[in-house]
Amino acid sequence: MPKLSRRTFILGSVAAGLLTMPGIATAALRYPFELGVASGDPRPDGMVLWTRLAPAPLDVGGGMGTANVAVQWEISKDANFATIAASGTETAVAGEAHSVHAEPRGLAAGTEYYYRFKTGEHVSPVGRTKTAPAAGVEPASVTFAMASCAHFEEGWYHAYRGIANDDPDLVLFLGDYMYEKQSGQSTKVRGYVDFDETDTLDEYRVRYAQHKTDPYLQAAHAAAPWLAVFDDHELKNNWWGYQSDVTATRKQAAFQAFWENMPMPKSMKPANAAIPLYRRVGWGSLARFHMMDTRQYRWKQAPNNNNTNCTELNRTDRTLTGVAQEKWLLDGLAAGGSRWDFLGQQVFFASQDNDGAASTCDVNEDAWDGYPASRKRIAQGIVDRHVRNPIVLTGDVHRHWANDLRVNYFDHASPLFGSELVTTSVTSNGGTGTPAGLDKNPHLHYVANKRGYVRVTFTPAQLTAEFMTVSSVFEKDPAKVTIGVEKRYVVQDGVAGLHSA
Ligand code: FE
Ligand code: CA
């Protein structure tokens, strides 16, 4: 059972008592925007604007009690809000952790906006966001950041600071926004509040709130719209969804807390232990982002039989995506209409077969290597649909990687059909040692065991991926921490394969 501290419980109860008194519920007693603001899932005519009222973020209930609270929002083309482009009122519902998911419509396409919230006498920080370009319009250049794996205890969030300073058009978050468990590392820069593994809704909510107190994470949210998906740690390490190892109650709690804390539309609110996470976002005629879910529908990981019995792993009906999502992805890719197609997803896509031999299965069973038939259906599906520039975007492994993609990785002379960019962790420990089999997997070009993020800039002619690293996650002082380009690769339009630049 969860172990919430007595102090937390009492403070939460006192706050609940006060806020349910008549006349007080409309205005929080203390400044309620401690978790910052965010935006996400941009469309040509709008996006989601997010905040969550929590004057006491680490207390159960966030210091808000059980009353619902009215929150006003405003969006403007200028940071001073001289002219309001759209505004409205949302109800921050106690049953949704007083989160707000406002969805303005009728905005101009491909346009920068600023937004803020108000409740009572309190005004939130100002966020910057953007609408997507209109369908058919080709922007000259787009920049997005990719990030994953941000264990709160394992480092300071300088990578998020770097992302905020870059002012990207978009941020893709690819999983492990938080961790359900305390760090096992000997070096921790800060600690989670006092329950160990999150498994109730209150615990997941407090866990998110604790992350969101970080100023660099708030800055990264306030800088650009996010497209976020979860991986495993937002629920439980290495969980699988089909005939799952986790209870429906715990799934619902984790999904609910994720939705409450992310700038995702109301239509994505989870119910009955399911969340409609995979979705597609267009960026004019230049790009589409196919945001995938490799957890909810996956089969259980194949057993690791010391690589001698690959029968389960090689089953032709094994799936990582589920049948419906696979069809959704391939049908979407077949529809075409964009020059660059990004598959934003969680786990390592290219083969990293340690001995380079097809007869064994010395692989990471949690990644696509553990679902080779599923991967092959997608890879061959991409080839068959003549997708112009498929780029897979990945998190999970706490290291930077740059990979080329083949249908058959054991035939080193076979053609490439795309590339994969893997972002390292924001903070989470990258382990030790050099990956085995690099020489046996010539499609794996680059690996770096440093913390950071990936910055991608693309035009109609070319994509440039910059593997960004921070000099330390253990040093708190930003003046002593440098953020820079560790390695740069380019992909030319219409030509599969990475080139060092
Ligand atoms: Fe991770
Ligand atoms: Ca092998």
Side-chain angles (χ1 to χ4, degrees), residues 172-193:
L172 270 63
F173 193 83
L174 300 175
D176 294 359
Y177 188 90
M178 59 79 132
Y179 284 70
E180 83 284 17
K181 279 189 177 181
Q182 293 171 346
S183 171
Q185 296 298 316
S186 54
T187 304
K188 299 189 193 187
V189 303
R190 48 190 171 179
Y192 278 143
V193 289

Side-chain angles (χ1 to χ4, degrees), residues 1 34 43 69 83 136 150 158 165 191 210 225 259 262-263 281 291 295 307 334 375 414 416 490-491:
M1 282 299 289
E34 298 286 355
R43 320 168 8 141
V69 176
T83 306
H158 296 293
N165 288 340
Q210 186 167 16
W259 175 81
M262 287 293 161
V281 168
M291 303 302 290
R295 286 289 159 194
N307 318 314
R375 175 173 62 197
S414 63
L416 307 175
V490 300
V491 178

Side-chain angles (χ1 to χ4, degrees), residues 4-18 59-60 63:
L4 293 171
S5 76
R6 180 172 161 74
R7 176 189 159 273
T8 300
F9 178 73
I10 291 171
L11 287 180
S13 301
V14 169
L18 285 175
D59 291 351
V60 170

Side-chain angles (χ1 to χ4, degrees), residues 148-151 175-179 231-233 395-398 425 428-429:
S148 75
C149 296
H151 202 300
D176 294 359
Y177 188 90
M178 59 79 132
Y179 284 70
D231 189 24
D232 56 335
H233 287 287
D396 184 50
V397 289
H398 304 182
S425 51
S428 304
N429 186 276

Side-chain angles (χ1 to χ4, degrees), residues 77-155:
K77 285 184 186 176
D78 63 276
N80 299 320
F81 295 87
T83 306
I84 304 298
S87 62
T89 299
E90 292 285 322
T91 301
V93 176
E96 297 175 353
H98 293 97
S99 60
V100 175
H101 303 77
E103 298 178 57
R105 290 290 179 265
L107 302 179
T111 301
E112 182 179 76
Y113 284 95
Y114 297 86
Y115 61 96
R116 65 185 176 190
F117 300 89
K118 297 177 180 176
T119 187
E121 76 270 31
H122 300 296
V123 183
S124 77
V126 172
R128 167 195 177 266
T129 189
K130 234 179 165 175
T131 49
V137 169
E138 185 173 78
S141 178
V142 179
T143 299
F144 66 86
M146 322 156 38
S148 75
C149 296
H151 202 300
F152 186 79
E153 299 180 319
E154 291 182 8

Side-chain angles (χ1 to χ4, degrees), residues 429-441:
N429 186 276
T432 54
T434 309
L438 272 185
D439 55 330
K440 300 183 178 66
N441 294 273

Side-chain angles (χ1 to χ4, degrees), residues 368-387:
W368 287 88
D369 267 336
Y371 303 77
S374 191
R375 175 173 62 197
K376 192 163 191 176
R377 284 192 298 274
I378 290 173
Q380 190 64 52
I382 287 171
V383 171
D384 291 346
R385 285 157 184 77
H386 308 291
V387 179

